[in-house]
Amino acid sequence: MKIMKFGGTSVGKPERMHQVAQLITKDVSEPRIVVLSALSGTTNSLVAIGDAMASGNREQAKQLIDTLEAHYQSFIKELVKTDKLYVKAKSIVSEHFEFLNIILKISFSEALSKDILAQGELLSTKLFSVYLEEKGIDHMLLPALEFMTIDAQDEPQLSTIKVKLNRILQQNTDKKLFITQGYICRNSRGEVDNLKRGGSDYTASLIAAAANASVCEIWTDIDGMHNNDPRIVKKTVPVEQLSFEEAAELAYFGAKILHPTCIWPAQQQKVPVKLLNTMAPEALGTTITQEAGSVGVKAVAAKDGIITINIKSSRMLLAYGFLRKIFEVFEKYRTSIDMITTSEVAVSVTIDSGSNLTSIVKELEPFGTISVENDHTIISVVGNEIAQTKDILSKLFDALTPIPVRMVSYGGSKHNVSMLVPSSYKTQTLQLLNKGLFGLE
Ligand code: ASP
Ligand code: MG
């Protein structure tokens, strides 16, 4: 079994969908499960519709629904050629927009907002199925809501997903091509829910693990994970090979191509993940496997919006249990710490969400003098055994002479050296590292 996931831009235009149909029928040596996102822009629109309803602005919600419907009406005109399948596509669009219009009339709730968000993936998969039907490509729609489940903590339940998915697959062994929705799932109350924004990658990885797939292909519009942020530095190159750990660090520390939580299911079952480009299907892309392949620096990534909290206290001197007490405050507010540095009289930690900042600072106050610095960026250098790589630190600091590096985290992981810099220095830092570590301008 092979898993192939296509993101919003890969299905965002009728001609792109046509191309996806070609890609999934090129190699038929094994059965395939194809995971689709919503058409690009749709989930954003659905979020806006939900927000408008939540704030009681029905008129605005109605307008957004109508604009989105018009988009789908013109989409299907170019998607299919025959009258018969156009009528079918039109009735699918009508059905889903009727549903949205009905929701508009009932009182809004959190659960309803999830129903609204689910329409994007339901529409993309059903419309794609109509196109496959027109092309005479045999396939089956696999309803994600029948097997993709999350528990009361919103965590996917891999063992349940496995049982449910394999039951459906075993009942359909004659089928070689399955189409399913990314992102959407059922929660512990049985309601429609989702795996959070960008969650289709997660769906693909969960299905890959559940079906013990030979490979999990993530098709986007860039040829793999790059060594640096292509939006910021001029010359970047795709990284051919990464280990799961390296990929997880890169995804977490800002590489936009892959959803950070999506690595673990594939990693657990050792299913290789390939990042491929719909626009350049022949390009190698990036392969993520258990083994790191080569030693050395592979890529840098940046994560913005970091807040630094400094705790200074002479009472820390020779005391024990101090860090535990500090960590407990963050635990209480379910705020995760990204970086930490300590000296005998001070601790600095970074967090990426300020939603509980005031409460956290208030509870830290008894421990010492607290100061907060906003607008920091974590620059993460990722590679295999980089802590053992000769000269890595001298190379790094040579490259970054002009940068006021605020914190360094080295040795916590074999795969990562992280530095904290003021966000205003991010661009310069990434450019200097591109030259200093990769010899690229
Ligand atoms: N459609 C969802 C989103 O835009 C899920 C995904 O595309 O991965 O977040
Ligand atoms: Mg995505």
Side-chain angles (χ1 to χ4, degrees), residues 155-222:
E155 295 296 334
Q157 302 166 293
L158 187 52
S159 49
T160 317
I161 295 166
K162 200 171 182 164
V163 172
K164 291 188 172 178
L165 174 66
N166 286 310
R167 195 181 299 145
I168 305 175
L169 293 177
Q170 269 148 28
Q171 284 161 358
N172 295 284
T173 43
D174 55 321
K175 293 278 181 253
K176 298 287 173 260
L177 179 61
F178 300 90
I179 314 296
T180 192
Q181 300 83 22
Y183 180 59
I184 64 173
C185 61
R186 273 191 201 280
N187 62 26
S188 58
R189 293 178 297 279
E191 300 156 347
V192 172
D193 210 316
N194 60 64
L195 301 176
K196 313 257 157 61
R197 293 307 304 272
S200 293
D201 293 345
Y202 204 0
T203 302
S205 175
L206 286 161
I207 292 179
N212 208 357
S214 61
V215 63
C216 177
E217 297 181 348
I218 309 278
W219 290 83
T220 61
D221 50 4
I222 174 166

Side-chain angles (χ1 to χ4, degrees), residues 1 7 45 137 246 293 314 356 360 369 373 384 421 431:
M1 186 68 80
S45 299
I137 299 168
E246 291 166 342
S314 49
N356 290 307
I360 289 172
T369 315
E373 298 165 69
N384 183 29
V421 302
Q431 286 165 347

Side-chain angles (χ1 to χ4, degrees), residues 5-8 36-44 47 117 120-121 182-184 195-203 259:
K5 179 257 167 178
F6 295 87
L36 299 187
S37 292
L39 313 195
S40 51
T42 294
T43 310
N44 285 345
V47 169
L117 291 176
E121 271 71 12
Y183 180 59
I184 64 173
L195 301 176
K196 313 257 157 61
R197 293 307 304 272
S200 293
D201 293 345
Y202 204 0
T203 302
H259 194 273

Side-chain angles (χ1 to χ4, degrees), residues 225-341:
M225 189 100 77
H226 278 228
N227 75 303
N228 204 329
D229 191 334
R231 291 163 304 184
I232 293 180
V233 302
K234 270 203 208 109
K235 182 136 185 51
T236 62
V237 288
V239 184
E240 249 174 64
Q241 211 270 338
L242 288 168
S243 68
F244 285 116
E245 271 128 1
E246 291 166 342
E249 303 258 20
L250 278 174
Y252 183 73
F253 287 112
K256 289 285 174 307
I257 183 163
L258 199 62
H259 194 273
T261 51
C262 97
I263 312 273
W264 72 262
Q267 180 173 19
Q268 196 174 309
Q269 289 301 312
K270 299 192 177 60
V271 182
V273 175
K274 281 190 169 189
L275 308 177
L276 297 161
N277 188 354
T278 328
M279 323 274 180
E282 305 306 331
L284 272 182
T286 301
T287 303
I288 306 166
T289 54
Q290 195 67 12
E291 280 77 38
S294 56
V295 170
V297 175
K298 290 184 183 170
V300 298
K303 187 174 174 187
D304 292 321
I306 304 294
I307 302 163
T308 308
I309 305 174
N310 309 298
I311 305 133
K312 231 166 111 182
S313 165
S314 49
R315 271 181 297 137
M316 213 183 301
L317 199 66
L318 302 174
Y320 48 83
F322 196 84
L323 282 178
R324 180 177 56 79
K325 288 181 198 139
I326 288 173
F327 285 157
E328 270 169 3
V329 175
F330 290 90
E331 191 183 339
K332 181 172 166 191
Y333 291 96
R334 301 182 73 172
T335 300
S336 79
I337 294 171
D338 284 330
M339 280 178 84
I340 168 161
T341 54

Side-chain angles (χ1 to χ4, degrees), residues 20-147:
V20 169
Q22 283 179 1
L23 286 171
I24 61 172
T25 46
K26 227 185 223 167
D27 171 17
V28 293
S29 59
E30 56 185 334
R32 286 134 289 148
I33 300 179
V34 174
V35 179
L36 299 187
S37 292
L39 313 195
S40 51
T42 294
T43 310
N44 285 345
S45 299
L46 294 170
V47 169
I49 291 167
D51 287 349
M53 286 191 203
S55 59
N57 197 339
R58 277 166 205 241
E59 222 162 279
Q60 194 198 354
K62 174 71 183 144
Q63 233 167 42
L64 290 164
I65 292 173
D66 289 348
T67 310
L68 192 61
E69 179 166 7
H71 177 69
Y72 277 85
Q73 291 298 358
S74 61
F75 185 90
I76 55 171
K77 275 186 194 135
E78 284 169 51
L79 180 68
V80 286
K81 286 203 179 72
T82 56
D83 280 348
K84 185 179 151 225
L85 288 153
Y86 176 67
V87 170
K88 190 161 181 182
K90 204 169 162 63
S91 83
I92 290 168
V93 172
S94 302
E95 178 202 330
H96 285 275
F97 282 91
E98 247 164 54
F99 177 78
L100 286 173
N101 279 304
I102 290 169
I103 287 189
L104 195 57
K105 297 198 183 77
I106 39 189
S107 64
F108 187 81
S109 69
E110 185 68 24
L112 267 187
S113 81
K114 306 281 177 63
D115 275 310
I116 297 172
L117 291 176
Q119 301 310 306
E121 271 71 12
L122 291 170
L123 274 162
S124 66
T125 47
K126 286 188 192 177
L127 293 176
F128 185 58
S129 168
V130 170
Y131 176 68
L132 291 181
E133 191 180 332
E134 179 169 82
K135 287 274 144 191
I137 299 168
D138 188 37
H139 69 282
M140 176 184 160
L141 265 181
L142 207 57
L145 296 177
E146 281 178 22
F147 64 87

Side-chain angles (χ1 to χ4, degrees), residues 381 390-405 408 417 419 428-438:
V381 179
K390 226 173 123 249
D391 302 340
I392 180 77
L393 284 187
S394 63
K395 263 192 184 164
L396 266 177
F397 288 119
D398 279 351
L400 298 183
T401 316
I403 307 293
V405 176
V408 179
V417 181
M419 284 153 303
Q428 200 186 350
T429 306
L430 289 178
Q431 286 165 347
L432 290 170
L433 289 178
N434 214 40
K435 188 153 191 255
L437 296 180
F438 304 100

